[in-house]
Amino acid sequence: MQENWRDIIADRLRERNKNESARFADIIHYNNRLFDTAAKLRQENLDLKIDRKIRDSVNVSGAGGGGGTTFGTDVATITNAQIQSLEKKVLAQQEELTDLHKRKGEHSQMVITLNQKLTELQRLLAEKERALADQTALCASLKEELDEMKASHVTIKDESLASQLRANTAEDKLRAVQDENTKLLNLLMEYKSRDAEIMNKENDKFVKEKKARIESELERAIRDIPGPSSIGADLDRFDVDGLPEGVEFKFDAHDGEVNAVRWSPIERIVATGGADRKVKLWDVGKGVCEQRGVLVGSNQGINSVEFDTTGSMILAASNDSASRMWSVVDHRLRVSFL
């Protein structure tokens, strides 16, 4: 590759030299012609010098002898004519030589100018060659970077495809998990609904059994009550004012059935639990029934309530097989037993 571009540059230099030489062809031709003319003029000048010496010798010989007067006169006439002709030629040649010298000076100046331009062009060519070498190196570097980027692009593309496949696989797994989760939720809801139905049935059964038990106990109590003749002798042993003569408080404690009632051991507080999943506290110490708080947190109906010995905590059992404990003061759920 390096020898190749060197050959290309050499060919371009030869072509440039050829083109530049073609521009100066006329100058070179006139210069060669000038040298030829100068050589010719030197030869003619030499011939004139020879003729002049011959003429001088003839004149001397004519002056020495009388017999040769006529011949000397003819030779002088011929020589004068040749001298005049040669002087004309010399003047013409001198004029042409002056013109050629003038043109030579112009051409020399042109050659100097062209040499300066050639030097400038050579300098520009060297700069262009350096720039071309830099650009070639930069092109090679960019090509290497491009190859690396192509390789990186292929790698990234492969990684992207692999990531896409992993993402698709993860989406399929997620979809399968979501479907399974939906099935499990539906199954759980079904189980919960079944459990709720079972607990509701058990609650209804318990309520019915409790109601039947209370009714049977009432019936037995009614049957066990003695008549007026049997209790007449024992009336002196009872305080008539201590027997309840009617209902002292009657209020709607819950939305639905009331399943449990318990007195507080230290205050005139009554706790009630009902089918609405709430435990309510009632103050009956002021002659009226006033609600003191509502304890929430149960998932099913309340079937039993109980205070501790200090009256500060209350425990309730519900139909979801759980027991929960609240504080009476702030009505907060403290413990949940499942």
Side-chain angles (χ1 to χ4, degrees):
M1 183 64 184
Q2 187 175 3
E3 295 179 357
N4 221 355
W5 68 263
R6 287 183 177 177
D7 295 338
I8 292 171
I9 291 175
D11 294 337
R12 289 183 180 177
L13 288 174
R14 293 191 194 96
E15 186 178 355
R16 184 200 66 184
N17 292 334
K18 185 178 179 181
N19 294 331
E20 295 295 335
S21 298
R23 297 179 184 178
F24 306 117
D26 294 336
I27 297 173
I28 296 171
H29 174 70
Y30 285 125
N31 193 18
N32 294 331
R33 184 178 173 184
L34 179 61
F35 281 115
D36 293 338
T37 305
K40 186 177 180 181
L41 289 174
R42 289 192 194 95
Q43 185 64 35
E44 288 180 356
N45 191 12
L46 180 60
D47 293 338
L48 287 172
K49 288 179 180 181
I50 294 170
D51 290 338
R52 185 175 180 180
K53 287 181 178 181
I54 293 171
R55 186 185 65 180
D56 292 338
S57 64
V58 170
N59 289 333
V60 170
S61 64
T69 306
T70 305
F71 176 76
T73 303
D74 293 337
V75 172
T77 303
I78 292 171
T79 303
N80 289 331
Q82 289 179 351
I83 288 171
Q84 289 177 359
S85 176
L86 288 173
E87 287 178 351
K88 289 181 181 178
K89 287 183 178 181
V90 169
L91 290 173
Q93 291 295 330
Q94 286 180 350
E95 290 178 355
E96 186 176 358
L97 182 61
T98 303
D99 186 27
L100 288 174
H101 278 297
K102 182 179 179 181
R103 294 179 66 181
K104 181 180 178 182
E106 293 177 353
H107 290 165
S108 298
Q109 184 63 34
M110 188 181 295
V111 168
I112 292 171
T113 304
L114 291 175
N115 284 331
Q116 291 177 353
K117 289 184 178 179
L118 179 61
T119 303
E120 182 67 22
L121 290 174
Q122 287 178 349
R123 185 182 63 82
L124 292 175
L125 179 61
E127 292 179 356
K128 295 293 184 182
E129 287 177 352
R130 287 194 297 271
L132 178 61
D134 294 338
Q135 293 295 329
T136 304
L138 181 61
C139 182
S141 176
L142 291 175
K143 188 174 180 181
E144 291 177 358
E145 291 181 0
L146 181 61
D147 294 337
E148 291 178 359
M149 292 180 68
K150 285 182 179 179
S152 300
H153 177 70
V154 172
T155 304
I156 293 172
K157 188 175 180 181
D158 295 338
E159 291 179 356
S160 176
L161 292 175
S163 300
Q164 187 67 30
L165 292 175
R166 287 195 297 270
N168 293 332
T169 305
E171 287 181 357
D172 295 337
K173 290 182 179 180
L174 178 62
R175 195 175 296 110
V177 170
Q178 288 177 348
D179 294 339
E180 186 177 359
N181 189 21
T182 303
K183 292 179 181 179
L184 291 175
L185 286 175
N186 294 330
L187 186 61
L188 179 62
M189 294 300 294
E190 183 179 355
Y191 285 158
K192 283 189 175 182
S193 62
R194 290 179 181 177
D195 291 340
E197 290 178 358
I198 292 172
M199 293 182 73
N200 290 330
K201 289 180 180 179
E202 290 179 354
N203 191 20
D204 293 340
K205 182 179 179 182
F206 175 77
V207 170
K208 288 181 180 179
E209 290 178 353
K210 185 177 180 180
K211 185 177 180 181
R213 187 171 62 253
I214 293 172
E215 289 178 353
S216 63
E217 290 177 356
L218 289 174
E219 289 178 358
R220 285 197 302 271
I222 292 171
R223 286 197 299 268
D224 293 338
I225 295 174
S229 58
S230 61
I231 63 173
D234 297 330
L235 284 177
D236 295 334
R237 295 189 292 120
F238 294 95
D239 186 4
V240 178
D241 293 334
L243 295 176
E245 297 180 356
V247 177
E248 187 168 353
F249 297 109
K250 183 178 181 181
F251 53 92
D252 295 329
H254 297 272
D255 297 332
E257 299 176 351
V258 178
N259 298 328
V261 179
R262 185 67 61 183
W263 284 92
S264 173
I266 60 173
E267 297 181 285
R268 293 183 61 81
I269 300 295
V270 177
T272 61
D276 57 358
R277 301 177 297 178
K278 297 177 183 178
V279 176
K280 295 184 179 181
L281 301 177
W282 306 90
D283 187 358
V284 295
K286 300 178 180 179
V288 293
C289 186
E290 181 180 354
Q291 183 172 310
R292 288 279 299 273
V294 179
L295 310 180
V296 296
S298 178
N299 296 324
Q300 294 291 334
I302 305 298
N303 52 32
S304 177
V305 293
E306 184 67 47
F307 285 95
D308 68 340
T309 57
T310 62
S312 60
M313 305 294 290
I314 185 170
L315 179 67
S318 58
N319 291 329
D320 57 355
S321 303
S323 298
R324 294 171 179 84
M325 185 180 295
W326 293 266
S327 60
V328 178
V329 177
D330 55 5
H331 307 152
R332 293 181 63 182
L333 179 62
R334 297 298 181 179
V335 185
S336 180
F337 305 99
L338 298 178

